[in-house]
Amino acid sequence: MQSYINQLDGVFPSVCSLDCPDQCGLLLHKKNGKIIKVEGDSNHPVTKGNICNKVRNMTARIYDSKRLSQPLKRIGAKGEGKFIPISWDEAIDTITSKWRNLINQHGPESILPYSFYGNMGNLSAEGMDRRFFHKLGASRLERSICNAAGAIGYGYTMGGSFGIDPEETIHTKLFILWGINAVSTNMHQVTIAQQARKNGAKVVVIDVHKNQTGKWADWFIPILPGTDSALALGLMHILYAENLVNQPFLEEYTVGSAELREHVRQYDPATVSAITGVSIDDLYTLARMYGSTTPSFIRIGNGLQHHDNGGMAVRTIACLPALTGQWVAKGGGAMKGNSGYLAFNTNALQRPDLLQNKKTRVINMNQIGQALLEKEKPILSLFVYNSNPVLVAPNANKVQQGLMREDLFTVVHDLFLTETAMYADLVLPAASSYETEDFYNSYWHNYVQIQKPVIETYGQSKSNVELFKLLAASMDFKESAFQDSEEDMIRQALDFPDNPYLEGITYESLSENQFVKAKMRPLFSGKLRTPSGKIELYSEQMKQHGYEPLPTYTSIVKDSDLPFLFIPAPNHNFLNSTFSNNDKHISMEKEPKLHMNAVDALKLGIDTGDMVRIWNERGECILKAAPGDTVLAGVLVSQGLWQNTPGRKQHINTLTPDRLADMGNGAVFFSGRVNLEKIL
Ligand SMILES: Nc1nc2c(c(=O)[nH]1)N[C@H]1C(S)=C(S)[C@@H](COP(=O)(O)OP(=O)(O)OC[C@H]3O[C@@H](n4cnc5c(=O)[nH]c(N)nc54)[C@H](O)[C@@H]3O)O[C@H]1N2
Ligand SMILES: Nc1nc2c(c(=O)[nH]1)N[C@H]1C(S)=C(S)[C@@H](COP(=O)(O)OP(=O)(O)OC[C@H]3O[C@@H](n4cnc5c(=O)[nH]c(N)nc54)[C@H](O)[C@@H]3O)O[C@H]1N2
Ligand code: SF4
Ligand SMILES: [Mo]
């Protein structure tokens, strides 16, 4: 394996490991064996040397004095934060002895791994860990906190996570950024749109909050939360009524256009305006703009699908480009996520065969609080890595209550003593992505990238791969799968003739070129992966799965009579909860604010800067009010997953519901209601 660890000075290639669509190419500048600067790699074909401020300040995180350097054992109460250092030997022995006992007495399903994409490296996020837990026969985690509803919804229409190549959007004439805060969450899509704008492209943003992205748009359209499918159906109504549809495209590439034409008659502009809060004039203007501009591109965000009806919303919006035949125009179409192109051999990487066909139970990560409080077949050990459930999972008070259980043996592997780690019996220090070998595939641009270790592991920290190998050895797992090196695993994962897009992407080509693009071909050169092979405006498959076969609007659940809908979205300078514990990034973001409509504020006697309490039956928060015109009346928006600080309850997931979305058992962070009052 190539490694740059021994080169103490120089500039070395790297890749951003954060859960961000852009997956930037990086250059790490080293001096005396330490990274002194992180910058963008100008050779990267898409990210071209530009990176966000968060990662430009990454050294403040990698070398943060609060970073964990040795294993810790809890000596205080759960949540109190009192720990003493122990050796790795003791830590591993403690874990596997405990687990052997649990397995003997209660079976392996009493153990639950909890992980997500704190490090997007495929080996780190879904490699040796999966092998280990499959072999152990532990309970399985349904990892549906992020894009599950939308991915399934998009798939019903388009047959999988296949959208247009973002590099082609340089040709786009109309960008619709729909439920995506791209300035903060997909900055290179903004850069490309900015270039297209120089050639006359227009940018429309449809969002519940006029945030940085809305402010940057040519036209910002505010919409009431959870009503996007109604808006899309209203646009279809006008497109059909005014004959702005592309009939030859519909006939050749879609099924169900005639049914859809009939079906959308009910979504007339007056009805849709009343549901969405978008004026009738704006509906006509947008529909006519969309119906008369080619190529147009809809970037479908993650935000709009974090609702009870999120799957159907994405499924519906994904139908729009077909109506005007955008998919055959260069720079035309839509994208929710592009992970389909770079699908690799997950069976080889994760080895589900090690489960030996056992039908172990599956626990939804969005309902981890409830799951930990279940008395029947209780979870007796929780192993957390690559995730921070206390801050990121909904209904956080339940999560904390579950983690307080004295009979629960919790282990957390992380770079920091996160809010979750505070409840752990054992905390294990994790190596950063710059310290380990891994491969990365973007879910937006279509490049695979490789990371070779650039610096020595910090203190006694270990990578996820190393950790699960140690656990496997201590459990006496004999399979060769537990001896594989990082290089072996990358080779196994990329050996996947089933996916022709991966052709030419090998360990060698990655090592030589650092980034290699999927072998792209036109989306319609063959059949789509829907049952009919075409874009399914009408979906028989959905009907079989118990859904309306045609795109349909249903309202989100009214979970209480409280007056406000609450949208706790991500912020600019954190990445989910990552960076929320780094002083540098906290100082960049300053403090959490509550955006509200000035009319609501006036009624409640709230001024800019007043402290307000927001609450519901699940919890409460105290935030600083920011009244204005960035949200509609009845809507509240906060940004970022903040930790509580002394005297300041700002942990917004204490307020969010842990119901599941209409598809994919996804999360519904943005469908909850709250009340609000000024703190006197
Ligand atoms: N800076 C930064 N970048 C990030 C992240 C981060 O935390 N910070 N997180 C990363 C991750 S894991 C993900 S999944 C992506 C998420 O990034 P995005 O895809 O941008 O999704 P969100 O930021 O969750 O929400 C996007 C927008 O949806 C809006 N929204 C909420 N409800 C509705 C609705 O009903 N309709 C409409 N039209 N809009 C609505 C919100 O106001 C928000 O502006 O970003 C990634 N990148
Ligand atoms: N209210 C609200 N809640 C949300 C969202 C929202 O928009 N609003 N967004 C949701 C979404 S889209 C997502 S994707 C989830 C994200 O949820 P998570 O994936 O849990 O994201 P992070 O908060 O970034 O936590 C990742 C943790 O992994 C750790 N980590 C990083 N690298 C490594 C490594 O190599 N090894 C180990 N062991 N640990 C590592 C980091 O230090 C960090 O503590 O949050 C969800 N929660
Ligand atoms: S967080 Fe996103 S924009 Fe920032 S460096 Fe990483 S991939 Fe690039
Ligand atoms: Mo996410």
Side-chain angles (χ1 to χ4, degrees):
M1 175 188 67
Q2 192 182 1
S3 152
Y4 306 112
I5 293 174
N6 294 332
Q7 289 167 257
L8 298 185
D9 299 285
V11 181
F12 305 96
S14 173
V15 41
C16 179
S17 62
L18 297 176
D19 187 353
C20 168
D22 299 50
Q23 200 150 96
C24 292
L26 303 179
L27 293 177
L28 304 180
H29 294 244
K30 266 176 87 175
K31 205 170 176 198
N32 296 329
K34 274 184 85 169
I35 300 172
I36 50 160
K37 184 172 158 191
V38 178
E39 67 171 356
D41 184 346
S42 56
N43 289 322
H44 192 287
V46 186
T47 61
K48 295 187 173 152
N50 300 314
I51 57 169
C52 66
N53 247 337
K54 314 184 274 299
V55 170
R56 213 169 319 179
N57 286 290
M58 192 56 132
T59 50
R61 179 171 163 87
I62 296 293
Y63 299 115
D64 191 313
S65 58
K66 294 194 294 287
R67 194 167 157 194
L68 298 171
S69 61
Q70 46 191 336
L72 302 173
K73 179 169 120 180
R74 179 169 64 84
I75 49 165
K78 293 197 175 194
E80 195 185 343
K82 282 197 186 149
F83 294 91
I84 50 162
I86 55 169
S87 69
W88 267 103
D89 282 349
E90 184 183 343
I92 296 287
D93 273 357
T94 311
I95 297 167
T96 52
S97 339
K98 181 79 189 175
W99 283 356
R100 282 180 208 277
N101 282 338
L102 285 180
I103 291 167
N104 285 338
Q105 288 170 30
H106 305 277
E109 285 173 287
S110 60
I111 302 165
L112 176 70
Y114 194 99
S115 74
F116 207 61
Y117 289 90
N119 176 350
M120 285 290 292
N122 295 307
L123 310 186
S124 301
E126 43 183 289
M128 198 53 90
D129 55 318
R130 304 295 166 99
R131 294 181 180 185
F132 177 80
F133 286 114
H134 284 146
K135 171 73 188 166
L136 198 68
S139 288
R140 281 172 293 159
L141 188 71
E142 181 169 27
R143 291 176 171 84
S144 52
I145 205 167
C146 179
N147 67 342
I152 302 243
Y154 188 91
Y156 277 131
T157 305
M158 292 299 296
S161 293
F162 299 94
I164 73 170
D165 180 343
E167 290 175 84
E168 289 191 353
T169 63
I170 188 74
H171 304 292
T172 301
K173 291 291 177 217
L174 173 62
F175 288 81
I176 299 183
L177 305 184
W178 200 324
I180 179 166
N181 182 9
V183 168
S184 298
T185 64
N186 189 191
M187 63 176 269
H188 296 88
Q189 184 62 72
V190 170
T191 310
I192 300 174
Q194 193 76 322
Q195 283 164 338
R197 240 180 180 177
K198 290 197 186 122
N199 299 323
K202 288 276 172 284
V203 178
V204 176
V205 167
I206 303 170
D207 203 297
V208 303
H209 180 209
K210 193 171 184 180
N211 50 32
Q212 299 93 313
T213 308
K215 287 178 185 150
W216 161 79
D218 296 302
W219 183 20
F220 172 71
I221 304 177
I223 186 171
L224 287 168
T227 66
D228 301 273
S229 56
L231 175 57
L233 289 158
L235 296 176
M236 294 179 200
H237 174 101
I238 300 171
L239 292 171
Y240 277 118
E242 300 196 347
N243 229 350
L244 293 169
V245 297
N246 183 332
Q247 204 54 42
F249 182 92
L250 285 169
E251 276 161 29
E252 188 169 354
Y253 296 112
T254 73
V255 287
S257 176
E259 291 92 332
L260 184 63
R261 178 191 287 267
E262 276 309 303
H263 174 73
V264 298
R265 279 184 201 277
Q266 62 189 299
Y267 296 98
D268 59 90
T271 304
V272 168
S273 175
I275 297 171
T276 58
V278 179
S279 73
I280 293 177
D281 277 356
D282 284 352
L283 278 171
Y284 276 110
T285 309
L286 181 61
R288 288 171 185 158
M289 187 188 271
Y290 189 67
S292 61
T293 316
T294 295
S296 67
F297 166 52
I298 306 179
R299 176 74 171 95
I300 309 172
N302 220 45
L304 77 92
Q305 54 98 65
H306 273 154
H307 283 289
D308 297 300
N309 57 10
M312 188 60 112
V314 173
R315 134 82 172 150
T316 305
I317 295 168
C319 292
L320 276 169
L323 267 66
T324 63
Q326 289 307 309
W327 291 105
V328 287
K330 209 178 173 79
M335 184 209 304
K336 168 68 185 75
N338 268 349
S339 55
Y341 294 112
L342 295 174
F344 51 83
N345 193 339
T346 45
N347 283 345
L349 184 63
Q350 306 180 0
R351 299 291 305 272
D353 57 296
L354 293 168
L355 248 174
Q356 293 178 313
N357 294 321
K358 278 180 268 175
K359 295 270 173 282
T360 44
R361 71 172 162 179
V362 176
I363 289 174
N364 188 299
M365 70 186 300
N366 299 314
Q367 299 182 321
I368 182 63
Q370 188 54 44
L372 290 174
L373 295 171
E374 239 25 279
K375 302 253 177 332
E376 196 77 1
K377 272 185 78 183
I379 297 164
L380 294 168
S381 180
L382 184 72
F383 193 97
V384 181
Y385 56 103
N386 267 2
S387 185
N388 185 8
V390 167
L391 272 200
V392 307
N395 208 342
N397 281 329
K398 258 197 205 169
V399 181
Q400 279 165 297
Q401 213 185 321
L403 287 171
M404 284 300 285
R405 268 179 40 208
E406 280 306 324
D407 61 338
L408 179 72
F409 176 66
T410 303
V411 183
V412 174
H413 181 227
D414 203 297
L415 287 77
F416 288 89
L417 194 66
T418 59
E419 296 64 30
T420 310
M422 297 283 279
Y423 294 87
D425 297 279
L426 291 180
V427 182
L428 309 172
S432 79
S433 64
Y434 305 151
E435 296 156 30
T436 51
E437 177 162 25
D438 213 325
F439 82 104
Y440 293 78
N441 49 335
S442 162
Y443 50 92
W444 174 66
H445 62 59
N446 297 310
Y447 291 78
V448 182
Q449 302 176 70
I450 197 157
Q451 170 77 59
K452 308 279 176 145
V454 174
I455 46 172
E456 266 182 62
T457 48
Y458 185 83
Q460 298 174 23
S461 62
K462 293 195 189 296
S463 73
N464 298 13
V465 173
E466 272 180 283
L467 166 62
F468 287 103
K469 279 187 175 181
L470 281 178
L471 288 169
S474 179
M475 289 300 293
D476 286 328
F477 293 167
K478 299 283 185 237
E479 287 79 358
S480 63
F482 298 107
Q483 258 80 60
D484 285 341
S485 68
E486 283 82 352
E487 179 179 331
D488 296 333
M489 293 171 82
I490 296 173
R491 288 182 185 282
Q492 293 155 4
L494 291 175
D495 182 5
F496 195 40
D498 285 3
N499 180 7
Y501 293 99
L502 273 192
E503 197 189 312
I505 305 183
T506 59
Y507 189 80
E508 283 72 25
S509 68
L510 286 172
S511 299
E512 195 173 324
N513 302 302
Q514 190 64 28
F515 20 76
V516 185
K517 192 173 184 178
K519 206 165 179 64
M520 301 301 288
R521 63 200 71 210
L523 200 53
F524 287 95
S525 55
K527 282 185 160 195
L528 291 187
R529 297 180 194 198
T530 53
S532 63
K534 297 187 174 191
I535 298 175
E536 301 209 332
L537 305 176
Y538 176 97
S539 162
E540 192 56 40
Q541 191 186 27
M542 289 182 76
K543 196 169 163 193
Q544 282 161 17
H545 294 175
Y547 297 108
E548 291 294 335
L550 286 162
T552 301
Y553 167 72
T554 46
S555 61
I556 56 174
V557 175
K558 189 162 190 253
D559 64 4
S560 75
D561 288 327
L562 300 179
F564 293 97
L565 267 169
F566 178 50
I567 316 294
N571 66 8
H572 191 73
N573 292 301
F574 300 169
L575 202 129
N576 303 316
S577 79
T578 298
F579 301 118
S580 72
N581 43 14
N582 301 115
D583 295 340
K584 175 72 191 173
H585 294 78
I586 293 173
S587 73
M588 282 161 29
E589 192 64 36
K590 301 199 177 71
E591 63 183 339
K593 293 208 179 91
L594 188 71
H595 301 278
M596 66 186 300
N597 190 279
V599 174
D600 289 331
L602 196 66
K603 275 192 216 151
L604 295 165
I606 294 168
D607 281 328
T608 302
D610 282 349
M611 296 310 292
V612 291
R613 185 172 89 93
I614 46 175
W615 78 93
N616 59 23
E617 71 280 15
R618 292 177 287 269
E620 67 168 355
C621 271
I622 292 170
L623 299 174
K624 194 176 265 186
D629 60 359
T630 65
V631 297
L632 296 173
V635 177
L636 301 175
V637 172
S638 72
Q639 292 185 305
L641 302 180
W642 295 77
Q643 319 180 2
N644 287 335
T645 55
R648 195 66 86 83
K649 288 186 178 173
Q650 45 195 31
H651 180 351
I652 47 82
N653 270 325
T654 58
L655 294 159
T656 51
D658 57 1
R659 304 187 292 276
L660 300 179
D662 57 347
M663 293 178 196
N665 295 325
V668 302
F669 291 107
F670 302 161
S671 282
R673 305 187 75 87
V674 297
N675 210 342
L676 166 73
E677 66 182 6
K678 178 172 167 172
I679 297 179
L680 296 170

